[in-house]
């Protein structure tokens, strides 16, 4: 195997005005290896990837591909050089078939100049066989799972003979089985001699899949290690520049009166006879496998989705169904699972997003001045330690962790009595996770009722006073903290059991 690396960046810099995104980014990726790239949100990983992908151009440093110095000015140049980026949520053409998506812009033609659909389909079948997956080449892309969409992007990269594949948080929305399939494909590509970069916040996946890991912090290179020569604790210290002594800083709080009471909530085919209580000062975890109905239940509680039977009460007063405005007036806040699509106006400023839910309260004669908006936003941006150089920064440019903080700030600004938070730390780094957990614990300590939906079992066990478990639209267990174990929760999530009292 050649000793020349497929990709080599050395002391690469990139700035956006006064904001320095990369100070000294360095990484070397060899053929026939899977190389993890880790760091906190805002460490510069995405900027580095965009330089390699041709979306940005470096301001300084060295960028070499297979030993040749390059500087792409477009994504087309990057792709032509053999680089493919597989994103967390691929963007396929939904109305076109799987085959047409793979060959978009480069369809083979026959002697008369017509597209050779038979040849296209044959090659796609061979690609899927080679990757060990079963997907109908003729079906439309619309309706495909995220996992299958990623496989199609990988197949496209392989058909283009890409030598470097970059997987950016590819497992965030995948089930366990889908992750294993993706890993099997990644290993087969490595064994063919391709180079892969794997970006993830999940250390178990990094250690299960990767050969090498590079750590970034504050836009700069920190360290590179063989995966066998390091451990999660060392990587965390390198990522955050400090010891994370407590990932789940759960405070002991005094549990008060019921604040949120849900009784008999039913929506046929989605959830049935849902009943639970969340008290003041209590964090209740809602656990279960993907598709169990957790998000659907909390969306119904907040009034976003309808329900056919049951009641929702806050502090003993009934909340009308299907009316988020009334839920907000009653004191309920919902931080949604998909913060970018449902929680943020990504093209608006940080200040506008933080004050979005309280604008009526801030307005004077129907008008809101920039000063009033900034004063209200400053308080919450400061309390949640949102990392931004200015409140007029566009929310889309923030890291995932800071976007999550902005969404939290928006809802906490409403002064809720009940906070419902769906997947509070999905896609954010370990340092920010600890900050979010500390905040949830502090809010409960101040008497707020917190309902936390999470697919990360350690998070549920580490933060919840009680764990409600859902399976197929029903609550199958209500487990107190002292009895909540991985085994108990998973058993209730996978077996039909009577709800524990």
């Amino acid at each position: 195997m050649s000793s020349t690396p497929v990709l080599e960046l050395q002391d690469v810099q990139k700035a956006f005005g006064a904001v320095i995104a990369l100070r000294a980014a360095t990484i070397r990726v060899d053929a026939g290896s899977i190389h993890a790239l880790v760091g906190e949100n805002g460490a510069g990983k995405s900027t580095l990837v965009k330089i390699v992908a041709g979306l940005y151009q470096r301001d300084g440093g060295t960028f070499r591909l297979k030993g040749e110095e390059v500087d792409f000015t477009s994504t087309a140049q990057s792709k032509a050089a053999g680089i493919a980026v597989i994103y967390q949520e691929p963007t396929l053409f939904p109305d076109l078939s799987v085959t047409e998506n793979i060959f978009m812009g480069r369809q083979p033609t026959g002697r008369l100049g017509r597209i050779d659909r038979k040849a296209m389909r044959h090659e796609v079948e061979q690609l899927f066989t080679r990757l060990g997956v079963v997907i109908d080449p003729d079906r439309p892309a619309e309706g495909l799972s995220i996992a299958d969409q990623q496989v199609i992007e990988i197949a496209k990269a392989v058909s283009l003979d890409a030598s470097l594949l970059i997987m950016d948080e590819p497992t965030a929305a995948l089930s366990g089985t889908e992750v294993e399939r993706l890993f099997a494909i990644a290993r087969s590509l490595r064994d063919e001699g391709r180079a892969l970069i794997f970006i993830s916040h999940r250390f178990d996946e990094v250690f299960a899949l990767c050969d090498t890991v590079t750590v970034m912090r504050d836009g700069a290179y920190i360290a590179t290690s063989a995966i066998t020569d390091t451990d999660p604790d060392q990587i965390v210290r390198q990522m955050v520049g400090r010891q994370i002594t407590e990932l789940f800083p759960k405070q002991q709080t005094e549990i008060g009166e019921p604040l949120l009471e849900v009784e008999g909530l039913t929506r046929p085919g989605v959830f049935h006879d849902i009943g639970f209580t969340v008290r003041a000062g209590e964090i209740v975890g809602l656990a279960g496998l993907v598709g169990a109905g957790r998000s659907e239940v909390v969306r119904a509680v907040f009034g976003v989705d309808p329900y056919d039977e049951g009641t929702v009460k806050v502090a003993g007063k009934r909340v009308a169904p299907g009316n988020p405005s009334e839920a907000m007036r009653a004191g309920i806040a919902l931080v949604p699972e998909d913060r970018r699509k449902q929680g943020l106006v990504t093209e608006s400023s940080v200040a506008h997003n933080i004050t979005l839910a309280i604008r009526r309260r801030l307005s004077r004669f129907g008008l809101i001045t920039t000063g009033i908006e900034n004063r209200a936003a400053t308080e919450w941006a400061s309390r949640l330690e949102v990392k931004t150089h200015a409140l007029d920064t566009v929310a889309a440019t923030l890291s995932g962790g800071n976007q999550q903080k902005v969404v939290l700030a928006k809802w906490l600004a409403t002064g809720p009595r009940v906070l419902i938070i769906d997947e509070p730390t999905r896609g954010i780094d370990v340092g920010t996770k600890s900050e979010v957990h500390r905040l949830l614990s502090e809010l409960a300590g101040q008497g707020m009722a917190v309902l936390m939906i999470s697919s990360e079992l350690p998070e549920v066990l580490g933060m919840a006073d009680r764990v409600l478990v859902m399976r197929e639209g029903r609550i199958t267990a209500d487990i107190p903290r002292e009895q909540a174990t991985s085994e108990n929760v998973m058993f209730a999530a996978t077996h039909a059991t009577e709800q524990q009292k």
Side-chain angles (χ1 to χ4, degrees):
M1 188 177 295
S2 171
S3 60
T4 302
V6 174
L7 174 70
E8 187 174 20
L9 300 181
Q10 183 72 39
D11 294 330
V12 168
Q13 297 112 44
K14 180 65 181 176
F16 301 92
V19 180
I20 298 174
L22 293 180
R23 301 173 189 277
T26 295
I27 189 171
R28 169 185 169 137
V29 185
D30 294 316
S33 72
I34 303 177
H35 196 118
L37 179 61
V38 301
E40 290 192 270
N41 289 109
K45 305 185 300 297
S46 295
T47 303
L48 183 152
V49 168
K50 288 174 181 177
I51 288 173
V52 175
L55 284 163
Y56 298 156
Q57 286 75 53
R58 63 200 157 103
D59 297 331
T62 304
F63 176 8
R64 292 191 181 95
L65 191 69
K66 299 177 185 176
E68 299 291 329
E69 189 156 342
V70 295
D71 193 14
F72 302 131
T73 58
S74 69
T75 56
Q77 288 183 358
S78 176
K79 290 175 182 176
I83 296 170
V85 183
I86 314 300
Y87 293 103
Q88 178 180 329
E89 296 185 8
T91 52
L92 301 179
F93 293 95
D95 295 332
L96 299 184
S97 71
V98 168
T99 297
E100 289 168 329
N101 269 281
I102 291 175
F103 280 94
M104 173 56 61
R106 56 187 185 92
Q107 297 91 337
T109 56
R111 285 180 299 177
L112 299 177
R114 293 182 177 178
I115 294 174
D116 191 340
R117 297 187 181 279
K118 185 176 180 181
M120 285 167 53
R121 193 183 194 285
H122 178 67
E123 184 171 341
V124 170
E125 287 177 336
Q126 288 185 319
L127 283 169
F128 287 160
T129 299
R130 184 171 161 189
L131 296 174
V133 297
V134 179
I135 300 175
D136 181 1
D138 298 321
R139 69 154 292 167
E142 187 173 21
L144 283 171
S145 68
I146 294 294
D148 283 346
Q149 291 180 52
Q150 289 176 345
V151 169
I152 290 166
E153 293 284 10
I154 292 170
K156 186 189 301 184
V158 173
S159 74
L160 289 166
D161 200 27
S163 55
L164 173 66
L165 286 86
I166 303 173
M167 297 184 174
D168 191 356
E169 293 283 356
T171 64
L174 305 190
S175 68
T177 303
E178 291 169 337
V179 169
E180 280 305 314
R181 182 180 69 167
L182 182 67
F183 282 11
I185 292 171
R187 293 184 184 108
S188 70
L189 296 174
R190 173 192 61 190
D191 295 344
E192 290 179 3
R194 302 178 200 273
L196 291 89
I197 296 177
F198 181 75
I199 300 173
S200 178
H201 292 301
R202 299 177 175 177
F203 289 163
D204 56 338
E205 294 179 353
V206 167
F207 279 83
L209 178 66
C210 300
D211 307 300
T212 311
V213 56
T214 288
V215 180
M216 292 182 66
R217 184 173 75 238
D218 296 332
Y221 168 83
I222 298 298
T224 295
S225 308
I227 210 72
T228 53
D229 295 337
T230 188
D231 58 57
D233 288 343
Q234 180 177 337
I235 290 176
V236 169
R237 287 194 296 272
Q238 292 169 338
M239 282 172 56
V240 303
R242 63 188 188 278
Q243 183 77 41
I244 297 293
T245 56
E246 202 171 6
L247 183 56
F248 304 112
K250 180 74 173 72
Q251 299 178 4
Q252 288 296 110
T253 58
E254 183 177 339
I255 307 300
E257 295 298 313
L259 281 183
L260 176 64
E261 298 173 275
V262 177
E263 299 176 4
L265 217 63
T266 298
R267 184 181 174 190
V270 183
F271 47 81
H272 180 75
D273 196 24
I274 300 296
F276 61 86
T277 298
V278 186
R279 298 173 180 272
E282 187 177 38
I283 299 177
V284 173
L286 188 55
L289 301 179
V290 173
R294 297 166 302 166
S295 295
E296 290 78 2
V297 165
V298 299
R299 284 170 59 86
V301 168
F302 189 64
V304 176
D305 291 345
Y307 55 89
D308 296 290
E309 298 177 29
T311 59
V312 175
K313 295 179 182 177
V314 174
K317 295 183 179 179
R318 184 169 179 174
V319 180
N323 192 330
S325 295
E326 182 168 330
M328 290 171 61
R329 285 193 292 271
I332 304 177
L334 171 63
V335 178
E337 176 183 11
D338 189 337
R339 56 179 171 261
R340 288 187 66 88
K341 292 181 180 177
Q342 300 170 355
L344 283 175
V345 180
T346 54
E347 297 310 314
S348 289
S349 69
V350 170
H352 182 83
N353 272 281
I354 290 177
T355 58
L356 201 57
I358 58 169
R359 299 187 74 77
R360 182 174 296 179
R361 186 193 311 168
L362 296 178
S363 67
R364 304 283 173 84
F365 307 107
L367 299 174
I368 301 176
T369 66
T370 300
I372 291 173
E373 182 179 73
N374 285 344
R375 280 194 293 275
T378 297
E379 176 187 354
W380 288 102
S382 175
R383 287 182 64 175
L384 271 74
E385 300 178 5
V386 177
K387 295 176 183 175
T388 177
H389 68 286
L391 289 172
D392 60 1
T393 299
V394 175
T397 65
L398 298 180
S399 67
N402 282 300
Q403 288 180 353
Q404 182 74 318
K405 288 180 181 179
V406 169
V407 178
L408 264 170
K410 175 180 75 173
W411 286 110
L412 293 179
T414 67
R417 306 177 73 181
V418 177
L419 175 66
I420 303 174
I421 184 164
D422 197 348
E423 300 291 358
T425 61
R426 172 174 287 173
I428 63 178
D429 58 77
V430 66
T432 306
K433 281 185 179 182
S434 181
E435 293 174 15
V436 171
H437 292 153
R438 173 187 52 77
L439 176 64
L440 293 179
S441 191
E442 287 178 358
L443 293 171
Q446 295 163 10
M448 194 177 293
V450 180
L451 179 61
M452 180 185 76
I453 300 90
S454 178
S455 299
E456 295 190 25
L457 199 48
E459 182 169 66
V460 172
L461 300 177
M463 293 302 298
D465 296 294
R466 284 188 296 122
V467 181
L468 301 173
V469 187
M470 285 191 66
R471 175 182 179 273
E472 296 180 356
R474 296 174 182 266
I475 293 180
T476 56
D478 184 344
I479 310 173
R481 182 177 178 85
E482 58 274 14
Q483 296 175 21
T485 64
S486 300
E487 293 77 12
N488 287 347
V489 173
M490 286 308 298
F491 185 86
T494 55
H495 294 70
T497 62
E498 291 297 319
Q499 181 172 332
Q500 299 175 12
K501 300 294 184 184

